[in-house]
Amino acid sequence: MLCFDLLCIGVIVLISINSTSFANAEWVTCSGIVPMRYRNDKISITDFGGIGDGVTLNTKAFREAIYRIEHLRRRGGTLLYIPPGEYLTGPFNLTSRMTLYLAKGAVIKATTDTEHWPLIAPLPSYGRGRERPGGRYMSFIHGDGLHDVIITGENGTIDGQGGVWWNMWRQRTLHNVVIRYVTILAPADSPNTDGIDPDSSSHVCIEDSYISTGDDLVAVKSGWDEYGISYGRPSHGITIRRVTGSSPFAGIAVGSETSGGVEDVLAEHITLYNMGVGIHLKTNIGRGGVIRNISVSNVYMENARKGIKISGDVGDHPDEYYNPNALPILKDVVIKNVWGERVQQPGLIHGLRNAPFTGICLSNIHLGGARGLRDSPWQCSDVSGAAVQVSPWPCSQLTSRQQNGACSSSF
């Protein structure tokens, strides 16, 4: 892999620079691995509408020229000539048996408009982006599985304008996702209509939105059983703020597909009406993965079947090859400042016998039932943690004095 600035080509490439500044030096070179071929077939970027004024976008011209080289397959290959001028362009692919020749004064300059840069799959040898999880932006001058490629000329310039990418990296805006002021609507009886699902995603901001669907409003996920474990990409750094909505399923959810792990999720100032479950953290055997550092606060819910549910027996499996011994770990969850009215059942927390849920903190929570009816009790098993100012009073596993430390950091 040869990379410089935003030029990255996964083949053997000869970069030839005609210069006399080191004429007296004795060079050791490996450039002979790609012989400097003479191409009988020659075309110019101007033949395809290329304009070197530094303003016109020439992506179409480069792609059409290289398409011609690739499909006509002239004997001995083809030389693509770039005359003097500044040719602004988006990224493009090279092809085998070609020479990209830049005349003196020729500049191939990358556009800084990221809308022109497609996302492509990670390198197979890495399985993910090198600096960031997930896919990668296409390289400026790109090639994959090519041979007999030469980039040469008369001291022409390839300018990737990398500053815009470096700034995005430093400001942590590269590959981030921001969703704001969005309305998402689907009928309450529509199947599998989650509103927003950050899946194996990082640095996601979801704010100031209204969602009314037939499934979870927002569900943070990270892969399904053995496939998610193998992929190994967690969701983390997720912020959900000022979201209002209704659904027969969950308002704010994590899972149940959490095999890559989910951590550092903050959800706050959430308003929910006519809900199945207000807050739902869900996983299952075979998932594996770690769910931790989940904080949900300042939630108002009205007319819900269940206020809070944290459960280790939710969701099915992709096939019979999942590993039943891959048990999820769920720990360090803080849920505080929650007020609910007409909540039929306040909460259920069921961990796994061989992987109990730990570090659960419930604080300042009131989940009242319908008027005139007695409040239903909490249901808990295989869980440890603490509860402070919770009504109805939760199960004994969350009220032990020995476990009060689970809530010590939430105040």
Side-chain angles (χ1 to χ4, degrees):
M1 179 67 70
L2 173 68
C3 298
F4 57 95
D5 204 348
L6 288 178
L7 169 63
C8 200
I9 306 168
V11 292
I12 298 172
V13 177
L14 171 63
I15 308 293
S16 174
I17 302 175
N18 296 330
S19 176
T20 59
S21 58
F22 297 96
N24 296 324
E26 185 177 347
W27 280 10
V28 176
T29 177
C30 62
S31 60
I33 60 175
V34 179
M36 183 63 75
R37 299 183 184 275
Y38 180 81
R39 313 283 193 189
N40 289 313
D41 187 43
K42 300 179 180 65
I43 58 176
S44 172
I45 193 65
T46 58
D47 299 336
F48 299 86
I51 300 174
D53 60 3
V55 178
T56 303
L57 193 66
N58 291 281
T59 312
K60 185 172 181 288
F62 275 99
R63 291 179 179 174
E64 287 185 353
I66 294 168
Y67 181 90
R68 186 264 196 195
I69 297 172
E70 179 181 6
H71 288 83
L72 286 185
R73 298 182 181 178
R74 299 296 193 194
R75 183 180 180 88
T78 299
L79 181 147
L80 175 58
Y81 177 74
I82 313 300
E86 188 175 287
Y87 296 85
L88 186 69
T89 178
F92 57 88
N93 284 292
L94 299 178
T95 189
S96 295
R97 295 179 298 277
M98 74 165 287
T99 296
L100 181 63
Y101 189 98
L102 284 74
K104 185 177 181 179
V107 179
I108 303 177
K109 179 174 284 190
T111 177
T112 58
D113 186 349
T114 58
E115 293 297 322
H116 293 282
W117 294 75
L119 285 171
I120 60 176
L123 289 167
S125 57
Y126 278 69
R128 50 156 284 174
R130 178 60 180 83
E131 280 78 26
R132 298 280 193 188
R136 55 188 170 128
Y137 284 101
M138 180 178 172
S139 305
F140 180 27
I141 299 178
H142 190 84
D144 184 25
L146 308 182
H147 62 275
D148 189 10
V149 176
I150 298 170
I151 301 175
T152 186
E154 308 164 53
N155 280 339
T157 301
I158 298 174
D159 182 359
Q161 299 210 86
V164 63
W165 303 96
W166 305 328
N167 288 336
M168 285 193 292
W169 173 263
R170 296 185 186 106
Q171 296 167 11
R172 302 185 66 83
T173 58
L174 183 61
H175 266 151
N176 292 359
V177 178
V178 176
I179 302 172
R180 298 189 71 193
Y181 308 118
V182 170
T183 297
I184 300 174
L185 302 175
D189 60 353
S190 56
N192 199 29
T193 50
D194 284 13
I196 302 172
D197 286 354
D199 195 319
S200 298
S201 301
S202 60
H203 308 298
V204 175
C205 173
I206 302 168
E207 291 184 334
D208 304 300
S209 297
Y210 179 82
I211 307 171
S212 179
T213 65
D215 212 317
D216 298 346
L217 303 185
V218 180
V220 183
K221 304 171 181 283
S222 66
W224 199 8
D225 287 4
E226 70 271 24
Y227 302 104
I229 293 171
S230 175
Y231 190 47
R233 181 179 169 190
S235 281
H236 65 92
I238 313 290
T239 300
I240 306 160
R241 183 180 289 121
R242 295 184 300 274
V243 170
T244 299
S246 62
S247 165
F249 286 87
I252 302 301
V254 172
S256 72
E257 301 86 348
T258 56
S259 300
V262 175
E263 59 185 56
D264 301 330
V265 175
L266 169 66
E268 60 183 4
H269 303 294
I270 309 297
T271 305
L272 306 170
Y273 299 95
N274 304 320
M275 295 300 306
V277 182
I279 302 163
H280 195 180
L281 278 57
K282 44 187 174 175
T283 186
N284 206 341
I285 61 169
R287 296 288 195 260
V290 178
I291 303 170
R292 64 184 175 188
N293 297 338
I294 311 296
S295 176
V296 184
S297 65
N298 298 301
V299 177
Y300 174 80
M301 65 181 76
E302 183 177 305
N303 191 26
R305 289 197 317 273
K306 195 180 302 290
I308 298 169
K309 182 176 181 180
I310 307 176
S311 184
D313 62 354
V314 178
D316 57 1
H317 305 283
D319 51 43
E320 68 273 21
Y321 302 112
Y322 76 93
N323 180 4
N325 296 317
L327 300 180
I329 296 172
L330 189 149
K331 62 181 182 178
D332 303 333
V333 174
V334 175
I335 302 176
K336 63 181 181 179
N337 303 334
V338 178
W339 185 275
E341 297 182 358
R342 289 185 289 147
V343 178
Q344 296 176 24
Q345 204 272 331
L348 177 152
I349 307 178
H350 284 170
L352 296 170
R353 179 173 299 177
N354 295 321
F357 297 164
T358 62
I360 308 298
C361 168
L362 304 180
S363 172
N364 191 26
I365 295 174
H366 173 80
L367 298 170
R371 290 183 180 179
L373 297 178
R374 185 177 179 179
D375 290 334
S376 299
W378 283 74
Q379 300 175 12
C380 300
S381 64
D382 300 305
V383 59
S384 64
V388 179
Q389 296 180 341
V390 177
S391 173
W393 194 243
C395 38
S396 60
Q397 293 94 327
L398 298 179
T399 58
S400 171
R401 292 183 179 178
Q402 285 79 14
Q403 301 293 341
N404 282 341
C407 277
S408 61
S409 62
S410 64
F411 300 99

